[in-house]
Amino acid sequence: MAYQLIAVDMDGTLLNSNKEITPRTEAAVTAALARGYHVVMTTGRCYRQIVPYMAQFPAMRYAITSSGAAVADCMENRIISSQNIAADTAPSPVRI
């Protein structure tokens, strides 16, 4: 079965230890996009934090952000899906 989507984590995968996208990595992602693959940036970061990185890949349409809690349409610069936790619920999973 042929792959149709490539999900790429940012830290330690897309970005090197200097938080940069190397020319080799940029070329590989650009080539995959040119071949018609859907390449999706995935990260624990919020959408606004990845906008500068997304600018390097104008053909990359979507990003999964906030540790999977949000999906962004980067071409339209908007969140298209999000799962929020109510403020009064959030503290309970971390109580010790």
Side-chain angles (χ1 to χ4, degrees):
M1 179 175 175
Y3 295 103
Q4 295 181 21
L5 181 132
I6 301 169
V8 182
D9 180 53
M10 287 187 64
D11 296 302
T13 305
L14 184 68
L15 304 178
N16 64 17
S17 59
N18 295 321
K19 306 295 184 208
E20 301 167 330
I21 300 171
T22 66
R24 180 178 177 202
T25 300
E26 184 175 5
V29 171
T30 300
L33 289 162
R35 291 179 64 192
Y37 290 101
H38 297 282
V39 182
V40 177
M41 197 175 291
T42 62
T43 183
R45 300 172 189 213
C46 71
Y47 176 65
R48 296 286 171 225
Q49 292 175 306
I50 69 164
V51 169
Y53 298 106
M54 293 298 298
Q56 289 186 250
F57 305 107
M60 189 182 297
R61 177 136 200 186
Y62 300 105
I64 300 169
T65 64
S66 304
S67 296
V71 177
D73 183 328
C74 302
M75 290 183 177
E76 293 189 14
N77 195 30
R78 67 184 184 97
I79 302 297
I80 58 173
S81 175
S82 65
Q83 300 297 315
N84 299 317
I85 298 174
D88 60 334
T89 303
S92 58
V94 294
R95 283 194 193 120
I96 298 176

